[in-house]
Amino acid sequence: MRSFILGTDWGADCDDCVAVRVLCRMVKEGKAKLLGIGINCAKEHAYASMKAFLGQEGIDVPVGIDPRSHETDGWTWTENYQPRLAKLMPQLSNNDAESAVRVYRRAIAEAEGKVEIMEIGFLQVLADFLRSGADDISPKTGYELCREKVEKIWSMAGRWDVDGGREFNIAWTPLSREGATYVIEKCPVPITFLGWEIGDSVITGDNLDHSDYLWQAMADHGYKEGRSSWDPMLVLLAIIGDEKEAGYDVVTGKARVDKETGKNYFRKNKNGKHKYVIKAKPDSYYQNAINEIIK
Ligand SMILES: [Ca+2]
């Protein structure tokens, strides 16, 4: 069975909740193994609310946070779905969480086989993992661990239907821009991107029972009628593990980010390490697939 790590900006939007539901259901059905989660958006209740959500799903995995990400420029940290979830785990706070980089390092170092990484948030933790040095977990650097043990990275990031697209996960903060630039330049393994333009018009979660805590989380975030599916589409694509089989065409080449503006660019090259996907099916195809899993 293929093994995964999830990176998420848990709390920035509620499609991450839908994505975590998809992932947990796939794990429970024996279609994927989840080794750990790294939160790269450390709102006050990030750790407790994630542990509570996973607990409701019946999943127990290591969860780390990026402690630098609790404040970002230009962002109003409004209340969202996290305080309600965190009440289920009142004994936990962000201080109880390990750093997300350590969660990544341990999961990858200890994995028996190859690991795949799903990133549905900012890329700064992955960048810090690549830059990490030897420690008590492993004598290898993050770059070495990645090259030897990571099969592939699946990333919901970028906007690829226009040249110079600008998207939240890459462009939002100096930290995210630097992280994305570093990962895209330096990461030694293939990356498939699912861009903003793919998930925006695919609405999911509109079929949930109102007694479902996933629906409550979406409602608490302001999306009672469903939300765009950037993150659950990325997770489902990664678990299927083949872009064509998942209903996408691919463009292959080399991605690039302008660190100052956060704009992303792509140069086609059939030997390139990067891919971005284009929908080969109508929106209802992806919508139905996700809604069927999460209901
Ligand atoms: Ca996200």
Side-chain angles (χ1 to χ4, degrees):
M1 194 188 312
R2 290 156 62 225
S3 297
F4 294 92
I5 294 170
L6 177 74
T8 165
D9 59 333
W10 181 250
D13 204 329
C14 61
D15 62 319
D16 297 73
C17 303
V18 182
V20 173
R21 164 69 59 84
V22 169
L23 179 53
C24 289
R25 290 276 163 93
M26 293 294 98
V27 168
K28 294 197 88 167
E29 286 180 24
K31 292 179 177 162
K33 189 172 177 186
L34 180 61
L35 304 179
I37 294 176
I39 299 173
N40 47 62
C41 172
K43 285 186 173 184
E44 182 185 351
H45 300 291
Y47 181 64
S49 61
M50 175 62 89
K51 291 298 274 188
F53 193 95
L54 293 172
Q56 296 295 307
E57 298 288 331
I59 298 288
D60 184 18
V61 294
V63 175
I65 64 172
D66 175 5
R68 298 172 309 158
S69 63
H70 68 291
E71 284 182 4
T72 53
D73 61 337
W75 183 264
T76 305
W77 292 111
T78 53
E79 291 288 287
N80 61 5
Y81 48 85
Q82 295 187 348
R84 187 193 302 271
L85 282 165
K87 286 197 181 95
L88 300 172
M89 293 260 182
Q91 73 280 20
L92 296 183
S93 80
N94 286 356
N95 293 331
D96 299 311
E98 226 179 2
S99 85
V101 169
R102 281 181 68 82
V103 169
Y104 278 41
R105 282 183 61 82
R106 188 180 299 103
I108 293 166
E110 293 180 355
E112 285 179 16
K114 292 268 192 172
V115 176
E116 294 168 66
I117 301 176
M118 308 167 171
E119 290 288 345
I120 55 172
F122 308 120
L123 290 161
Q124 66 227 19
V125 167
L126 189 52
D128 287 350
F129 160 68
L130 287 171
R131 285 189 279 242
S132 65
D135 58 8
D136 57 310
I137 294 169
S138 170
K140 294 184 175 170
T141 66
Y143 185 88
E144 289 166 341
L145 285 171
C146 184
R147 194 182 54 201
E148 292 170 22
K149 302 278 296 279
V150 176
E151 179 79 24
K152 178 161 177 160
I153 290 160
W154 307 86
S155 169
M156 191 280 116
R159 181 172 177 181
W160 308 100
D161 59 339
V162 292
D163 197 34
R166 198 167 185 277
E167 178 275 332
F168 181 80
N169 286 348
I170 288 178
W172 190 246
T173 69
L175 204 57
S176 71
R177 291 195 286 275
E178 195 283 329
T181 303
Y182 189 87
V183 168
I184 287 170
E185 280 180 13
K186 307 284 189 190
C187 182
V189 302
I191 307 175
T192 287
F193 294 97
L194 184 145
W196 175 89
E197 70 281 4
I198 301 300
D200 190 55
S201 58
V202 178
I203 305 300
T204 53
D206 50 338
N207 64 325
L208 293 168
D209 191 284
H210 289 195
S211 64
D212 188 329
Y213 55 90
L214 174 56
W215 180 84
Q216 186 64 58
M218 299 179 79
D220 286 344
H221 205 76
Y223 292 95
K224 293 179 179 176
E225 311 295 331
R227 183 61 173 135
S228 299
S229 301
W230 304 285
D231 294 350
M233 289 177 84
L234 186 279
V235 165
L236 188 55
L237 165 63
I239 288 169
I240 292 170
D242 180 280
E243 293 89 349
K244 293 262 183 224
E245 196 183 324
Y248 300 96
D249 294 323
V250 294
V251 178
T252 303
K254 175 94 176 76
R256 180 175 71 80
V257 169
D258 182 317
K259 191 159 62 176
E260 301 306 316
T261 65
K263 291 181 178 178
N264 60 260
Y265 302 87
F266 202 87
R267 197 173 66 234
K268 291 181 189 175
N269 173 353
K270 64 179 168 44
N271 299 317
K273 239 196 266 264
H274 300 148
K275 290 182 166 72
Y276 68 82
V277 295
I278 298 171
K279 285 180 280 195
K281 310 269 190 189
D283 284 354
S284 58
Y285 175 84
Y286 313 96
Q287 180 185 34
N288 293 340
I290 291 165
N291 275 344
E292 184 65 26
I293 293 168
I294 65 172
K295 72 182 183 191

